Amino acid sequence: MRMTTSSFAPAGRLEGTTPPDGPLTREAFRDAMARLGAAVHVVTTDGPGGRAGFTASAVCSVSDTPPTLLVCLNRAASVYPVFEANDTLVVNTLGADQQPLSGLFGGRTPMDERFAAAHWHAGPGGAPRLADAAVAFECRIASRVAAGSHDVLFCDVLAVHLGPTAHGLVYFDRRYHPLLPAPH
Ligand SMILES: Cc1cc2nc3c(=O)[nH]c(=O)nc-3n(C[C@H](O)[C@H](O)[C@H](O)COP(=O)(O)O)c2cc1C
C-alpha cells in the first residue's frame, strides 16, 4: 500500500512512553490510536427508531463463519438512540472520492443534510446503502456489549456489495489519505 501524501507529522507527542507516572490518560490513548491507519465507513440504519448515519473507523472483522463484524458506537452520540431502537445497519466503506461524506456524517450536521449529500439504495433490511461505496455490508445487529464509553455492536453480515472504486480511503494521524495501488 502506498500513501499519496508526504505529510506524516505524527499526532500528539513525537516519541516516548506515556505515562511517566500515573494512569494513562484518554488523550494519550487517543494520540496513540491516531497512529493506527483505519478505513473510513458511514454506518447507516433505518427502522422503528428512524433513519440515521454516522462516520466510523472502529469497524472490524470478527469471524467469517458466520460472517460477522463489529461496530463501536459512542453512547453519547446523537445517533445512539436510533441505533438502539433498530436492528439492521449497513457499513458503507468510503472510497477516496467520498471523503466529504466522512465530515458530514462525523457529527453536528442535521440528519437530512447528511443523507441529501449522496445517493442511496434501500437495502432489504431497510437501512440505506450508499451508491458506489467501495464496499457495503448489509447487517443485522446480533448482540450489543457495553465497553467503556461505547457499545460494541456485533453484526451478522447478510450480504456484501462490491463497488467500482479501486482507490480506498484511510484515516491516519487525524487526516484523510487516499490510497493508490502500488506500481508493479
Ligand atoms: C474519521 C472519523 C471516525 C469516527 N469513528 C467513530 C467510531 O468508530 N465510533 C463512533 O461512535 N464515532 C465515531 N466518530 C464520531 C461520529 O461520527 C460522531 O460522533 C457521530 O456522527 C455523531 O455525532 P453527533 O452526536 O454530533 O451527531 C468518528 C468520526 C470521524 C470523523
Side-chain angles (χ1 to χ4, degrees):
M1 137 173 127
R2 179 164 66 90
M3 299 288 183
T4 57
T5 175
S6 58
S7 171
F8 281 95
R13 74 173 38 228
L14 292 183
E15 225 182 313
T17 303
T18 302
D21 47 36
L24 182 66
T25 62
R26 173 181 184 266
E27 289 69 29
F29 176 68
R30 291 175 71 109
D31 284 349
M33 290 304 295
R35 295 194 175 185
L36 274 65
V40 184
H41 318 270
V42 168
V43 182
T44 56
T45 188
D46 203 349
R51 183 178 68 161
F54 72 105
T55 299
S57 55
V59 171
C60 181
S61 169
V62 175
S63 152
D64 62 6
T65 316
T68 307
L69 53 74
L70 66 76
V71 176
C72 299
L73 172 58
N74 193 327
R75 283 194 300 282
S78 67
V79 297
Y80 179 79
V82 182
F83 279 84
E84 198 181 21
N86 295 347
D87 59 8
T88 62
L89 60 77
V90 178
V91 173
N92 300 280
T93 305
L94 301 185
D97 57 348
Q98 295 168 322
Q99 177 191 322
L101 291 178
S102 177
L104 273 179
F105 281 83
R108 290 189 286 276
T109 305
M111 207 49 71
D112 286 348
E113 254 179 70
R114 298 185 193 189
F115 281 99
H119 294 296
W120 305 89
H121 301 291
R129 176 167 63 83
L130 176 63
D132 293 343
V135 60
F137 300 85
E138 305 252 12
C139 299
R140 184 173 46 235
I141 302 170
S143 62
R144 305 162 195 257
V145 176
S149 53
H150 285 55
D151 272 9
V152 185
L153 312 182
F154 290 92
C155 303
D156 294 336
V157 182
L158 308 178
V160 294
H161 304 266
L162 296 179
T165 183
H167 297 168
L169 181 66
V170 163
Y171 196 63
F172 171 76
D173 197 16
R174 299 189 169 107
R175 298 175 210 192
Y176 296 98
H177 303 264
L179 293 179
L180 294 176
H184 291 292

